[in-house]
Amino acid sequence: MIRTILCDLLDIKYPILQGGMAWVATGELAGAVSQAGGLGIIGAGNAPPEIVKNEINKVRSMTDKPFGVNIYYMSPHVEELIKLIVECKVPIVTTGAGNPGKHISLLKQAGTKVFPVVSSVALAKRLAKQGVDGFVAEGMECGGHVGEITTMALVPQIVDATGLPVIAAGGIYDGRGLVAALALGACGVQVGTRFICAEECQIHNNYKEAVLRAKDRDTVLTGMPGHQVRVLKNKLTREFEELLRDGASLDELDELGAGKLKLAAIDGDIQHGSVMAGQIASMITEIQPAAEIMADIMETAEEVLNNLGKLSE
Ligand code: TUI
């Protein structure tokens, strides 16, 4: 059985975090992942604190195991969410799309472990000095808002630059990805896209089916320069490309992107909505319970490790 320092640090059985995906990672999914031995994470996205509080209560009604909340730093509710997390004593926080620096000491005082999601070395170095517990190093293979560096290149750079625990994210589907991440110096993985197709994930079925149908080249980077988002190609991405080619203003482009994740995730409009998914989408072939997904990752990882062991005399 593979155990890493992350298992002790977060008090979890498997070194697997479920990505805190906005609109996708609700309490039902996070609770199922945590109950099965990984770390479930609620994606707060742009939701107000009342909604997030409900999701926290849901997780706590399903399990007494640790879980996390992901704070999306472009949300208008960040300050209130930090208060909520402190009040509810949420064990772990991951942060994305911004710099959580000014909240670190408050969270740490409340006993919350802080794992910022980073896609560059510069931000990781700055945050390491401010006392974070570790990082989620997110490569550009991920779905959603991504940086410019691949997981393969980013993870060892964050490991070497900070010396803190690093969780690899981006392009991880099964045990091959987990073992590869460990080889790069990570102590665990964050899996997002595969958990979209978990039975417990409450997203619209059209979204899950779009992920199941996806082939290797079906994702594309779209969105504002400097704020690129990986999604499945559809009418929305083609319209966006046309606008960009025709020299549309930033306001027009912004307008096209607004509210589109909800349109796909909740309303099931996978042509006009933003179907965020990572590059491993094509490897997903079935809807499975979250527990089965984690068991598969762990079993295939053992096999890979075993086979790799035979390479050395
Ligand atoms: O946050 C993500 N991925 C996301 S958030 C999201 S919600 C959304 N909805 C509609 C349109 C766009 C997004 C979907 N996917 N990943 C974590 C992540 N954070 N990746 C990269 C970063 C990041 C970027 C810049 C973290 C910090 C940062 O710092 C800026 C600074 O202040 O230095």
Side-chain angles (χ1 to χ4, degrees):
M1 166 98 146
I2 296 171
R3 266 190 80 85
T4 73
I5 54 155
L6 189 69
C7 300
D8 298 323
L9 194 61
L10 302 186
D11 193 20
I12 51 181
K13 188 169 170 199
Y14 307 128
I16 301 172
L17 275 63
Q18 159 252 311
M21 304 164 279
W23 292 108
V24 179
T26 60
E28 282 93 347
L29 178 61
V33 170
S34 283
Q35 179 57 21
L39 187 83
I41 301 180
I42 296 163
N46 282 316
E50 312 85 77
I51 301 273
V52 179
K53 189 169 186 180
N54 255 337
E55 301 303 309
I56 292 172
N57 290 341
K58 210 175 289 166
V59 172
R60 289 204 156 127
S61 74
M62 294 170 70
T63 185
D64 56 4
K65 298 199 161 68
F67 66 97
V69 172
N70 174 269
I71 301 189
Y72 173 57
Y73 264 73
M74 284 163 74
S75 159
H77 304 292
V78 172
E79 296 299 331
E80 304 154 85
L81 285 172
I82 297 286
K83 265 196 215 140
L84 175 74
I85 278 159
V86 168
E87 218 177 82
C88 295
K89 298 194 182 305
V90 172
I92 293 122
V93 156
T94 63
T95 68
N99 182 345
K102 66 175 176 180
H103 298 127
I104 293 168
S105 64
L106 192 66
L107 290 168
K108 303 273 317 183
Q109 273 168 34
T112 299
K113 294 203 166 73
V114 185
F115 282 78
V117 179
V118 293
S119 52
S120 73
V121 171
L123 180 61
K125 274 183 160 169
R126 236 182 299 149
L127 292 169
K129 286 191 201 129
Q130 292 176 269
V132 299
D133 295 280
F135 296 98
V136 179
E138 206 180 79
M140 53 90 78
E141 297 94 321
C142 277
H145 176 60
V146 292
E148 294 170 17
I149 310 174
T150 60
T151 305
M152 180 86 126
L154 182 67
V155 169
Q157 294 188 64
I158 304 285
V159 169
D160 289 353
T162 68
L164 290 172
V166 173
I167 296 150
I172 293 156
Y173 167 75
D174 62 10
R176 290 169 291 185
L178 170 56
V179 173
L182 299 180
L184 295 173
C187 56
V189 291
Q190 177 177 283
V191 174
T193 305
R194 191 169 180 187
F195 281 115
I196 295 174
C197 292
E199 228 166 73
E200 296 87 348
C201 176
Q202 307 291 305
I203 200 170
H204 198 288
N205 212 35
N206 291 353
Y207 199 122
K208 291 190 182 187
E209 280 172 8
V211 173
L212 291 175
R213 275 194 305 270
K215 300 206 177 57
D216 56 345
R217 299 173 62 233
D218 284 350
T219 77
V220 65
L221 286 178
T222 179
M224 319 289 280
H227 194 106
Q228 297 262 284
V229 177
R230 183 177 301 286
V231 293
L232 294 183
K233 292 175 187 168
N234 63 5
K235 283 204 177 106
L236 176 71
T237 63
R238 287 191 286 276
E239 205 181 320
F240 194 91
E241 269 165 32
E242 277 167 31
L243 275 179
L244 205 59
R245 209 172 37 231
D246 298 344
S249 69
L250 284 183
D251 277 353
E252 279 175 277
L253 294 172
D254 226 6
E255 180 78 12
L256 187 64
K260 293 295 160 69
L261 177 57
K262 176 171 183 260
L263 185 63
I266 307 300
D267 304 334
D269 186 346
I270 53 165
Q271 278 307 327
H272 303 97
S274 181
V275 188
M276 296 182 184
Q279 287 186 322
I280 57 86
S282 60
M283 299 174 86
I284 304 167
T285 56
E286 57 180 328
I287 308 285
Q288 286 175 296
E292 219 173 277
I293 293 176
M294 281 187 293
D296 175 66
I297 296 172
M298 295 309 293
E299 279 164 25
T300 51
E302 295 287 352
E303 251 174 64
V304 173
L305 260 189
N306 227 339
N307 288 338
L308 286 178
K310 294 179 198 150
L311 291 178
S312 136
E313 289 174 64

